[in-house]
Amino acid sequence: MSRTRTRSRTSRRPVVAASALLMASAVVPGPAHAEDGTGVTDYSITVDPRAEGPEIDDAMYGVFYEDINRAADGGLYAELVQNRSFEYSTADHRSYTPLTSWSVTGTAQTADDDGRLNERNRTYLSLGAGSSVTNSGYNTGISVERGKKYDFSVWARTDGRASLTVSLTDSEGALAGARKVTARGGWAKYEATFTAHRTSTTGRLAVATDRAAALDMVSLFPRDTFKGRENGLRKDLAEKIAALDPGFVRFPGGCLVNTGSMEDYSEDSGWQRQRSYQWKDTIGPVEQRATNANFWGYNQSYGLGYYEYFQFSEDIGAMPLPVVPALVTGCGQNRATDDEELLQRHIQDTLDLIEFAGGPVTSEWGRERARMGHPKPFRLTHLAVGNEENLPVEFIARFERFRAAIEAEYPEITVISNSGPDDAGTTFDTAWRLNREAGVDMVDEHYYNSPQWFLQNNDRYDSYDREGPEVFLGEYASQGNAWRNALAEAAFMTGLERNADIVKLASYAPLLANEDYVQWSPDMIWFNNHASWGSANYETQKLFMTNVGDRVVPSTATSTPSVSGPISGAVGLSTWATTAAYDDVTVTGENGETLLSEDFGAGAARWTHTGGGSWTVQDGQYVQTDEAAENTMVSAGDTSWQNYDLSVKATKKAGKEGFLIAFGVKDTGNYYWWNLGGWNNSSSAVEQAVDGGKSTLLSKPHTIETGRAYDIDVKVRGRQVTLYLDGQEWGSFTDDKPAEPFRQVVTEDERTGDLIVKVVNAQSAAARTAIDLGGVRVASKKARVTTLAAAPDAVNTETETPVKPEKSVFAGVADRFSYTFPANSITFLRIARR
């Protein structure tokens, strides 16, 4: 793939150093490769500077921005008024009304009639004479800072003349002087400015009128937005994203792209609220933009739309990477739209999006971009069609239609496909086969797995076909924001860089989370209405993003001794959003000894309930009766059991999914289970939980019938497991991959000539390491060092930052030298070469 960015190399800022924790040695000892009782393990790293490693794309690491966890309204979008246009609806959330976040004094009611502001802003407020409405903002309220300016605006309509009094207060009184505006006649926009007298995080904005008036688009914006943009972005959040120096910004989803209706927002579609994200809804004057029911369960105003997205990407020097609907839904919906006219409309919308981004001002959509304030084209080089589709055959047929149309008009655009929602399994394998057969340029992979999985799969891309499609790792995370999670991700990232010839782009996900509105965790940056903080994962991503280098310098390292015994543990039963009945549970040792025989005729006294739900014995069966409960685990037996056969009869009674059969159960966070009929009864898979984080070991499309009794058998031998369903082998796996805690990669910064030695030591022992630079002539004995180190369970919060970079100088660099990498650490050594 050609280089995708033209920004200066100087944007990869070198790390400046201060003081150090170090260990130097003139003579490099041979690695003992074992702990010596001092809490130190010996390793060696050998660099081969004469070998040619792969080039690293300028845009390799980027960010994925999706409006999840209130990432837009109440987040990156700087608007301080919640539900500013009275468009909240039960279509967005069952508790919403058009007056959500508003309180009324006097008389007020919302209306949806011909008196509205415009047809896409369909609801407005009729406020009675002598009445007022007050908005509560987000989180604890409207946040203002002493001395800062805030711009108020409102669209109003009156039959005559009305005096509007606008105030900004909290429980202690006024936060700024009240403002008065006079409204006259038809719909018009009125503005005022506040200067805060005090700092507060619990502010309220009130609008009162002396005569009857209609109001819409009640807005309060901080004057101090990112880059001073009008309709702009919250400064602290935007600055944290910019500080990552991302190579690209993927937008807008995620599940926002491939869920809901593919129709437009119009009278013909019945003003469909639950729609896929469609770019034309999100541009133009904000009061004319559509509204939508966000997939994640709240209202989406589109104040932060495609124009703001392109502008932000340009402001931070990142390439935009938009994602458009493929007309195959995912995220549990799994439907293919068979409507040729609708498909053609979406294909044309995609072509129009490319024109909006880069077309000349003489074109229809280039002229619209210029009208919004940006006559110069945005630089668009990549575009993705679809997101995590579970129907690979239907998806690829539609993808090829999009790609053909794009390539015909814009052959310079790289069109990206995807491989579904998982890192393995039938859907993944089918999608990859179809992508290869179609000659796709790049495939977007997504996976969320345990830290154990990331430590085990550093070599994931070593065996990928170098002649096949390149990889965009568009979403990944290790199911937690503790330091142990970030360490595992860092170890995995060294493998991404080593395979930079095949892995061209990668982005952690999700990016943002408002701590009071969380639908998904973990997340990279957390915030509330007045503060933001980077997680441990953020600090890791930032270290890698700002020290990428331009090519990989091949290197090797010794590994950690690992002694792994057979899978051992008790057995368990569970359900997920389903009621199910279990009977005839037996566990037999490989020598034929009966370890457990349970027909529940005498109750279930041997079973320990550690999950949710409600378990009772009914008619000689053990039944979980709470249809809404998730992870209802009960377990029995000895955690030392190994090499056994588990047999159970299971029947689904009702609900969305099937049932779960657990084995190798150590405790509530460490076990294996066979999830039959999971993911809305669309797949069955074996998952492994390690310290609460789950990874999928085996997956197939599969459904479970309600009311049918299934015979389930699990055979555990050593670290190999074979699974049988109704007497037929369903699948098998061997869990013997080591979770290597010591990983490294070396890259070169062409501008400075520096070697960047990147080492992850994800274990409780320090790593005393012999480093051989392979004859490299160093320019100085001093290396600039950046270290991230903390306790494995450390978590960054608003008030505490245990995970933060420490910069130092190491004065013992030579062609061959030793360095001790701290326990639970990521260390980058920048070594200057002659």
Side-chain angles (χ1 to χ4, degrees), residues 384-438:
V385 176
N387 170 77
E388 292 189 8
E389 282 73 22
N390 267 316
L391 304 174
V393 174
E394 293 84 347
F395 164 73
I396 203 71
R398 288 155 183 78
F399 171 84
E400 292 197 83
R401 297 279 299 277
F402 278 85
R403 182 179 60 169
I406 294 168
E407 289 182 345
E409 290 198 34
Y410 303 100
E412 71 280 8
I413 299 291
T414 298
V415 186
I416 303 172
S417 180
N418 74 80
S419 59
D422 299 311
D423 61 275
T426 303
T427 297
F428 177 87
D429 292 340
T430 301
W432 259 104
R433 176 178 59 78
L434 295 172
N435 280 312
R436 289 191 182 97
E437 291 172 355

Side-chain angles (χ1 to χ4, degrees), residues 283-303:
I283 64 167
V286 291
E287 68 274 8
Q288 296 176 17
R289 298 183 187 182
T291 190
N292 202 4
N294 180 289
F295 172 81
W296 298 107
Y298 52 88
N299 179 271
Q300 189 169 22
S301 76
Y302 290 141

